[in-house]
């Protein structure tokens, strides 16, 4: 077991890679009541084309398989894992992203038993054609619910512009048509390929003793046999690396009160893996802050002119294989919003210079908010991105953040903001007939 | 530590080293009326936008950045019949920033409360106009969230027409036109001088020092009138139903029951457990039987409103399943009334509620909120774990028997419309 002590923030993280390849990390918080544990599989909705462990040929599974698996993992031949957590008084949940699937619980009692339940239900699959059929109804409702959510439509509309031929533009849950093609066999072959201990990590934060916890987990794993198989290389390649396929503009009519607009920026340069990738992510986030956050003049001007209001927000997402930023607002001036945002982005070099006096301030605010996140077991564990950022945790992030200079921002802006990668998507109120 | 700053102004300090950040809540409470709601909501927005020392949003935002990204803002809410304007600050401890950050945050709170951008008995006109326009847009946009929209429609059906519960805490569009930069000034003065004020400070702080700092605010004494925070209305003999059709994918079926058991009453915990069995937890009858077993819905849950004596059920379904869902929901309620739940389910729901409660003690904001409610109701915080443990199946059946269906709202999602 390795120990990493962060004296400045009074935290220690323990980690260990078990014989079967499962990476376990523990951050004890002895004055908390709760323990939060999250088991993450490095497999998500875009990972649809691969050679399965028991096959020779490349296959493409229907959209929505990762999310479907997540739903079905809980159900076993004679019980539901959800009920087992219930019997222990623990809350459990799961979620799927583009590149990861996570299973979690939170409890103030029976931590050892809950950890066993978590590891057992994720490591022992059971799928039948009958239960697969039934799940289609539930997931179908989930997809429909999101279809009515204008913010969700705006976000996926933008992804459709930025990645029109890549799987990111498809709802993580798939479509009603695609999930209809899923069978128990699809689930087994996908499961066997990706749900292997070496492709997972377990992060635990809360009121636990690290050595004892590691022992519990090692004991649990020793009782199971895993075939030594290679995790398939996911055949994810962007349809067009140069971004020539980016759709510059689309509009959707919907039953909304006010127009909504989003500007998106697709990153076109490949990103280094590990810590360098983390530094890039934090750098882009600082860049967006220096261009748009509420401490800079751009923000006040747009706000006072009614081009943005309190619904304005922006975000940067970076996952395995792709990264993009987006800016959105409800506004009565959708064209001006797009022009202004794009204008600021395209003159980023001058903008950084104009706001340079705010750089230290902005960085300090980001630092403070990251330190505040250390009060949240969920935030610490959920933020862990595994291999993508070289196994760095929130405390490492703080150190990396401190190393970023304003000079870095000029370089990052040049790399990230390219006109070819910029796009606009808008939702306007439907005209009643 | 408890300290009364003056009549009607109380300060609680919860000293703890559990967190790396501190929390300050300043709650202004007064009985909600149809006249004060929208005005106070807009006032809250103005107070967090600018002050004399920080006359623009940017100036104020820059100060917050200086304070290590301190999050200081206002919000409105309702605690039963009480309307509350709340200023909340969350910021990291001096230990992780610099000596004096806490003091600087308290300075800023003072500035925001006592030095708003008022000149010649008027709020700054451009700021006022912009914030009023933004509040209008924000209220209008709420209807785009169909789940929220359905809940609002249900409340409209459930509460009496002239009830203040008809008015959401953030206000109404119709009132906005009557508000101007001048007539909001007396609303501000009234709040500062007459509202009941409760301050909660939580974190690793020097208690004496915090008391001294808030003494410097020189709050004026104000009488605390006896006010019933619990909302009561008579049960109606008939069920009110409203159906509406919109061109959306998912239909919403929501029901409201009267449940005349209140937060400050002995049966409160029995009602909490009953709600957990009916639809308040993922183990519940609604979740298991409506969502899981029959795949009828993506969500199906119940919520107990302990300050207004009401229980609501909300589901998201396909319109072809309306009849089946309606029957199933009714059956779940009847089952709980008849005591058709296992001892095991009762045990698990209690464990789950206890787990949720204990987990909430790891979130500073929840601890502060609990302190606030306990002070406002003038009753010591319960031993929640014991109270939940003590609930029996008979008590659950008893409170369930008090459920009386009052209103049904159905939003029929039909894309052909």
């Amino acid at each position: 077991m390795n120990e990493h002590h962060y004296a400045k923030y009074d935290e220690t993280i323990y980690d260990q890679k078990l014989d079967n390849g499962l990476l376990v990390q523990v951050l004890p918080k002895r004055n908390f009541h709760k323990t939060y544990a999250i088991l993450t599989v490095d497999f998500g909705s875009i990972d649809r084309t691969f050679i399965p462990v028991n096959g020779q040929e490349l296959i493409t599974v229907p959209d929505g398989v990762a999310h479907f698996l997540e739903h079905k993992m809980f159900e076993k031949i004679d019980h539901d894992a959800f009920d087992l957590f219930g019997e222990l008084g623990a809350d459990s949940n799961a979620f799927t992203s583009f590149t990861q699937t996570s299973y979690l619980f939170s409890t103030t009692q029976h931590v050892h038993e809950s950890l066993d339940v978590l590891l057992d239900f994720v490591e022992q699959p059971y799928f039948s054609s009958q239960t697969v059929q039934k799940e289609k109804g539930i997931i179908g409702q989930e997809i429909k619910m999101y279809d009515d959510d204008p913010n969700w439509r705006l976000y996926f509309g933008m992804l459709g512009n930025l990645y029109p031929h890549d799987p990111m533009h498809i709802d993580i849950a798939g479509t009603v048509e695609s999930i209809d093609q899923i069978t128990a066999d699809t689930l087994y072959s996908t499961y066997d390929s990706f749900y292997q201990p070496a492709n997972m990590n377990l992060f635990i934060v809360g009121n636990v003793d690290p050595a004892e916890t590691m022992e519990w987990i090692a004991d649990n794993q020793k009782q199971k046999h895993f075939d030594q198989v290679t995790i398939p290389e996911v055949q994810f390649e962007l349809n067009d690396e140069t971004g020539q396929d980016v759709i510059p503009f689309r509009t959707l009519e919907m039953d909304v009160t006010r127009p909504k607009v989003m500007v998106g920026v697709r990153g076109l340069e490949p990103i280094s893996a590990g810590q360098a990738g983390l530094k890039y992510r934090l750098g882009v986030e600082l860049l967006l802050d220096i261009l748009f956050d509420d401490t800079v003049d751009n923000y006040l001007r747009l706000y006072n002119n009614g081009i943005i209001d309190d619904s304005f927000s922006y975000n940067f997402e970076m996952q395995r294989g792709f990264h993009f930023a987006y800016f959105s607002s409800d506004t009565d001036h959708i064209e001006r919003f797009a022009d202004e945002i794009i204008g600021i982005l395209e003159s980023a070099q001058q903008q950084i210079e104009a706001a340079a006096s705010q750089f230290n301030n902005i960085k300090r605010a980001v630092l403070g908010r990251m330190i505040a996140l250390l009060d949240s077991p969920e935030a610490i564990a959920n933020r862990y991105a595994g291999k993508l950022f070289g196994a760095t945790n929130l405390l490492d992030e703080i150190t990396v953040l401190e190393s970023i200079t304003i000079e870095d921002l000029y370089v990052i802006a040049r790399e990230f903001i390219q006109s070819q990668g910029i796009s606009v998507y808008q939702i306007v109120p439907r005209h009643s007939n | 530590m408890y300290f009364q700053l003056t009549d009607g102004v109380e300060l609680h300090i919860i000293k703890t080293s559990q967190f790396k950040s501190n929390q300050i809540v300043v709650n202004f409470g007064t009985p909600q009326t149809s006249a004060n709601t929208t005005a106070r909501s807009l006032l809250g927005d103005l107070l967090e936008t600018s002050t004399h020392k920080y006359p623009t949003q940017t100036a104020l935002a820059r100060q917050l950045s200086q304070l290590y990204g301190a999050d200081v803002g206002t919000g409105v809410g309702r605690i039963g019949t009480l309307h509350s304007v709340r200023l909340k600050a969350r910021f990291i401890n001096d230990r992780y920033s610099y000596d004096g950050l806490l003091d600087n945050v308290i300075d800023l709170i003072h500035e925001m409360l006592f030095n708003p951008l008022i000149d010649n008995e008027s709020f700054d006109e451009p700021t006022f106009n912009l914030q009023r326009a933004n509040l209008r847009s924000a209220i209008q946009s709420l209807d785009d969230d169909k789940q929220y929209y359905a809940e609002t429609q249900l409340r409209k059906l459930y509460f009496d027409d002239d009830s203040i519960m008809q008015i959401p805490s953030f206000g109404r569009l119709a009132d906005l036109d009557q508000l101007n930069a001048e007539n909001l000034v007396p609303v501000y003065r009234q709040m500062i001088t007459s509202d009941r004020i409760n301050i909660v400070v939580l974190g690793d702080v020097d208690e004496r020092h915090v008391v001294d700092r808030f003494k410097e605010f020189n709050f004026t004494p104000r009488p605390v009138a006896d006010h019933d925070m619990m909302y009561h209305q008579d049960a109606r003999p008939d069920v009110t139903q409203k159906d509406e059709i919109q061109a959306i994918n998912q239909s919403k079926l929501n029901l409201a029951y009267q449940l005349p058991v209140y937060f400050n009453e002995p049966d409160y915990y029995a009602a909490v457990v009953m709600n957990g069995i009916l639809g308040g937890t993922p183990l519940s009858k609604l979740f298991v039987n409506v969502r899981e077993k029959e795949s009828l819905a993506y969500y199906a849950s119940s919520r107990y409103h302990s300050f207004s004596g009401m229980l609501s059920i909300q589901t998201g379904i396909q319109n072809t399943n309306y009849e089946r869902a309606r029957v199933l929901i009714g059956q779940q309620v009847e089952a709980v009334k008849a005591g058709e739940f296992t001892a095991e389910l009762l045990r698990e729901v209690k464990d789950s509620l206890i787990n949720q409660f204990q987990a909430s003690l790891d979130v500073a904001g929840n601890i502060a909120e609990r302190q606030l409610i306990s002070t406002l109701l003038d009753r010591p915080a319960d031993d929640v774990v014991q109270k939940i443990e003590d609930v029996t199946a008979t008590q659950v059946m008893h409170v369930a028997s008090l459920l009386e269906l009052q209103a049904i709202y159905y939003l029929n999602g039909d894309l052909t419309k």
Side-chain angles (χ1 to χ4, degrees):
Chain A
M1 185 169 77
N2 309 303
E3 183 179 328
H4 313 271
H5 184 58
Y6 299 83
K8 203 167 163 188
Y9 300 106
D10 310 305
E11 301 286 6
T12 307
I13 293 192
Y14 301 84
D15 65 42
Q16 188 174 3
K17 198 160 201 142
L18 303 184
D19 294 341
N20 65 16
L22 177 68
L23 174 67
V24 185
Q25 297 175 87
V26 182
L27 188 152
K29 278 195 175 280
R30 294 322 290 258
N31 51 7
F32 271 55
H33 304 78
K34 169 165 72 184
T35 298
Y36 177 81
I38 182 163
L39 180 61
T40 296
V41 189
D42 191 14
F43 172 66
S45 70
I46 66 167
D47 303 323
R48 58 182 189 183
T49 303
F50 55 92
I51 299 170
V53 281
N54 298 320
Q56 310 286 319
E57 312 247 310
L58 204 59
I59 60 162
T60 297
V61 293
D63 287 313
V65 165
H67 175 261
F68 206 103
L69 257 179
E70 171 221 309
H71 271 235
K72 284 282 48 111
M73 283 314 297
F74 285 88
E75 201 166 312
K76 302 303 177 200
I77 190 157
D78 56 354
H79 70 276
D80 195 309
F82 207 72
D83 297 333
L84 299 185
F85 283 116
E87 284 166 24
L88 295 167
D91 283 341
S92 63
N93 211 338
F95 55 85
T96 307
S97 73
F98 292 120
T99 54
Q100 293 187 330
T101 312
S102 298
Y103 301 86
L104 60 96
F105 73 83
S106 158
T107 191
T108 56
Q109 52 213 336
H110 309 304
V111 175
H112 185 177
E113 292 89 332
S114 301
L115 278 169
D116 280 338
V117 171
L118 178 68
L119 289 164
D120 292 351
F121 95 84
V122 178
E123 291 179 342
Q124 293 162 345
Y126 167 76
F127 312 116
S128 76
S129 52
Q130 195 195 348
T131 60
V132 165
Q133 205 51 39
K134 199 201 70 180
E135 199 66 27
K136 291 177 181 172
I138 293 178
I139 297 179
Q141 282 289 329
E142 183 175 347
I143 294 169
K144 282 188 182 163
M145 185 168 76
Y146 285 118
D147 275 349
D148 290 334
D149 178 344
N151 290 321
W152 182 261
R153 296 292 291 273
L154 186 66
Y155 177 78
F156 272 97
M158 175 51 74
L159 284 169
N161 279 4
L162 296 180
Y163 302 98
H165 307 295
D166 298 309
M168 288 80 82
H169 81 275
I170 297 157
D171 193 323
I172 287 164
T175 63
V176 173
E177 294 75 33
S178 75
I179 61 170
D180 198 45
Q181 299 161 28
I182 294 173
T183 64
D185 283 345
T186 328
L187 297 184
Y188 273 118
S189 76
T190 314
Y191 177 91
D192 291 340
S193 300
F194 294 100
Y195 278 57
Q196 301 179 35
N199 200 36
M200 301 188 204
N201 71 77
L202 173 60
F203 206 119
I204 303 161
V205 184
N207 191 1
V208 290
D209 175 85
E212 183 186 46
T213 309
M214 288 290 183
E215 240 169 77
W216 291 341
I217 296 162
D219 282 350
N220 175 291
Q221 294 299 283
K222 265 184 227 146
Q223 290 162 29
K224 290 178 193 146
H225 169 76
F226 298 95
D227 289 330
Q228 285 292 334
V229 286
T230 343
I231 298 145
E233 190 79 19
V234 181
Q235 303 287 310
F236 175 69
E237 272 172 35
L238 286 165
N239 168 66
D240 180 354
E241 275 185 21
T242 64
Q244 300 291 326
D245 60 346
V246 170
I247 301 170
F249 176 79
R250 278 191 305 161
T251 286
L252 172 73
E253 279 193 14
M254 212 182 154
D255 182 18
V256 291
T257 326
R258 292 183 74 206
K260 289 174 184 292
V261 54
M262 185 178 274
V263 172
V265 181
R266 169 171 155 186
L268 300 172
E269 303 292 330
I271 300 302
S272 333
Q275 283 233 12
L278 176 62
K279 183 167 178 181
Y280 189 80
R281 195 196 89 198
L282 294 170
V284 174
E285 285 171 355
L286 276 175
L287 168 68
L288 302 188
D289 285 341
I290 205 167
L291 299 180
F292 295 104
D293 97 351
D294 56 1
T295 67
V296 298
D297 296 331
N298 285 332
Y299 180 93
L300 189 67
R301 183 171 54 80
L302 297 176
Y303 193 97
N304 284 347
N305 288 326
I307 295 162
I308 61 172
D309 62 16
D310 300 312
S311 66
F312 175 68
S313 71
Y314 56 88
N315 215 332
F316 178 61
E317 276 189 43
M318 184 165 161
Q319 298 203 27
R320 169 167 34 81
F322 64 99
H323 59 286
F324 61 95
Y326 54 94
F327 312 80
S328 69
S329 189
D330 295 355
T331 178
D332 295 324
H333 310 282
I334 37 182
E335 280 92 12
R336 273 201 72 190
F337 174 88
D339 288 349
E340 289 278 4
I341 300 290
I342 294 171
I344 293 168
L345 288 169
E346 291 188 330
S347 60
Q349 301 295 324
Q350 297 94 292
Q351 300 284 343
I352 298 170
E353 211 169 321
S357 61
Q358 287 306 309
F359 177 72
N360 285 330
N361 228 349
I362 287 170
K363 195 169 134 180
R364 175 191 262 218
V366 174
L367 177 66
R369 286 193 288 263
M370 270 194 198
I371 294 170
L373 282 183
L374 292 169
D375 284 341
S376 161
E378 290 85 349
I380 296 171
N382 292 358
R383 235 179 135 91
Y384 178 71
K387 276 183 281 191
L388 179 61
F389 297 135
T392 46
N393 58 56
L394 178 56
L395 289 145
D396 302 320
E397 263 190 67
I398 293 175
T399 315
V400 174
L401 175 77
E402 286 178 310
S403 76
I404 297 174
T405 64
I406 191 155
E407 283 71 33
D408 293 326
L409 298 197
Y410 288 106
V411 179
I412 287 171
R414 214 167 292 130
E415 261 180 57
F416 178 61
I417 304 166
Q418 297 183 25
S419 297
Q420 184 58 48
I422 297 179
S423 172
V424 177
Y425 191 88
Q426 59 189 35
I427 295 181
V428 295
R430 180 183 293 145
H431 296 290
S432 43
N433 307 318
Chain B
M1 179 185 201
Y2 171 77
F3 193 88
Q4 180 163 23
L5 292 166
T6 182
D7 285 348
V9 184
E10 297 165 286
L11 168 65
H12 274 94
I13 303 168
I14 303 169
K15 188 172 165 63
T16 169
S17 56
Q18 190 182 349
F19 306 108
K20 291 182 165 52
S21 49
N22 302 324
Q23 189 101 18
I24 297 179
V25 180
V26 184
N27 188 75
F28 293 84
T30 193
Q32 186 182 351
T33 66
S34 60
N36 70 8
T37 312
T38 312
R40 286 166 62 89
S41 172
L42 183 52
L43 173 62
D45 290 342
L46 285 167
L47 293 183
E48 70 171 359
T49 302
S50 50
T51 75
H52 269 118
K53 190 168 174 191
Y54 308 108
T56 64
Q57 263 174 303
T58 311
L60 189 57
R62 283 182 185 166
Q63 178 61 14
L64 292 170
S65 288
Q66 291 272 1
L67 304 175
Y68 276 78
D71 184 5
V72 184
T74 59
V76 290
R78 177 152 60 193
I79 309 168
T81 58
L82 205 67
H83 190 264
S84 103
V85 175
R86 202 174 282 190
L87 183 145
K88 270 191 198 172
R90 195 178 86 144
F91 50 99
I92 58 173
N93 197 276
D94 286 14
R95 239 174 110 191
Y96 303 104
S97 48
Y98 61 88
D99 270 344
L101 178 70
L102 169 69
D103 276 315
N104 291 345
V105 170
I106 294 175
D107 291 340
L108 180 62
I109 291 174
H110 184 272
E111 172 72 17
M112 287 166 80
L113 293 180
F114 290 94
N115 211 4
L117 209 48
I118 297 175
D119 287 299
N120 305 317
E121 290 304 300
S122 168
F123 275 96
D124 179 61
E125 196 83 33
T127 309
F128 175 89
N129 288 333
L130 194 54
Q131 289 304 320
R132 187 174 62 173
N134 285 350
L135 180 56
R136 176 173 286 126
S137 314
I139 294 176
Q140 280 168 343
S141 300
L142 283 171
D143 285 351
D144 293 342
D145 178 343
K146 296 304 168 193
Q147 212 165 319
Y148 177 83
Y149 175 76
E151 285 168 26
T152 310
Q153 295 303 312
L154 182 73
R155 278 201 301 271
K156 275 191 183 159
L157 294 180
Y158 177 85
F159 290 111
D160 293 341
D161 287 344
D162 56 352
S163 158
I164 53 128
M165 303 302 275
Q166 292 283 0
I167 310 167
S169 61
F170 49 79
R172 292 180 295 203
L173 289 178
D175 299 334
L176 281 173
D177 292 329
Q178 273 103 63
L179 296 172
N180 59 48
E182 288 85 36
N183 66 18
L184 211 56
V185 174
V187 179
Y188 161 72
R189 298 225 198 287
Q190 168 92 11
M191 182 184 95
I192 287 289
T193 58
S194 307
D195 269 27
R196 180 170 181 189
I197 300 177
N198 293 87
I199 304 168
V200 181
V201 178
L202 184 145
D204 199 358
V205 298
D206 175 349
E207 294 168 284
R208 275 301 347 149
H209 180 67
V210 170
V211 170
D212 289 342
R213 290 303 320 272
F214 277 100
K215 273 187 190 164
E216 291 166 15
F217 280 39
N218 284 321
F219 286 107
T220 51
R222 69 237 26 231
V224 177
D226 213 15
H227 172 73
D228 185 3
M229 286 165 60
M230 305 301 156
Y231 172 78
H232 297 267
Q233 92 179 15
D234 293 333
R236 286 187 289 257
D238 301 317
V239 177
T240 318
Q241 174 149 5
K242 184 183 165 189
D243 293 7
E244 190 179 344
I245 299 183
Q246 281 189 12
I248 51 174
N249 284 287
Q250 195 185 67
S251 303
K252 316 281 176 191
L253 172 59
N254 289 20
L255 297 85
Y257 293 78
Q258 183 171 67
L259 177 57
V261 176
Y262 290 86
F263 181 81
N264 54 352
E265 292 178 355
D267 277 343
Y268 167 71
Y269 290 94
V272 169
V273 173
M274 186 275 286
N275 178 57
I277 290 174
L278 176 61
T281 62
L283 312 161
S284 66
K285 291 197 162 277
L286 283 170
F287 190 86
V288 170
N289 294 327
V290 180
R291 182 188 136 124
E292 295 286 303
K293 282 205 188 127
E294 300 233 4
S295 307
L296 276 185
Y298 179 61
Y299 66 93
S301 66
S302 68
R303 206 175 301 144
Y304 166 42
H305 307 262
S306 63
F307 282 73
S308 49
M310 189 249 243
L311 180 140
S312 60
I313 289 177
Q314 39 280 325
T315 64
I317 59 171
Q318 208 172 335
N319 60 359
T320 47
N321 290 330
Y322 168 77
E323 292 298 336
R324 181 77 194 126
R326 178 83 186 73
V327 170
L328 263 184
I329 293 167
Q331 283 172 357
Q332 307 315 309
V333 175
E334 289 313 311
V336 181
K337 286 186 180 184
E340 289 164 15
F341 50 86
T342 60
E344 195 191 351
L345 178 61
L346 176 63
R347 176 74 261 148
E348 289 173 13
V349 165
K350 283 186 189 179
D351 283 347
S352 166
L353 293 168
I354 289 169
N355 183 43
Q356 277 171 31
F357 166 71
Q358 287 176 329
S360 77
L361 300 177
D362 290 339
V363 181
N366 289 337
I367 304 173
E369 179 75 23
R370 220 163 101 79
Q371 179 61 61
L372 190 66
I373 302 284
S374 136
T375 315
L376 284 170
L377 290 173
D378 193 23
R379 56 200 299 272
D382 290 326
D383 178 351
V384 174
V385 173
Q386 194 57 50
K387 295 270 187 185
I388 292 172
E389 285 288 3
D390 290 346
V391 173
T392 65
T394 318
Q395 287 170 331
V396 169
M397 284 166 67
H398 166 69
V399 291
S401 74
L402 303 174
L403 285 169
E404 210 169 322
L405 183 60
Q406 297 281 282
I408 302 171
Y409 172 74
Y410 179 49
L411 179 57
N412 184 344
D414 188 345
L415 285 180
T416 62
K417 295 291 162 193

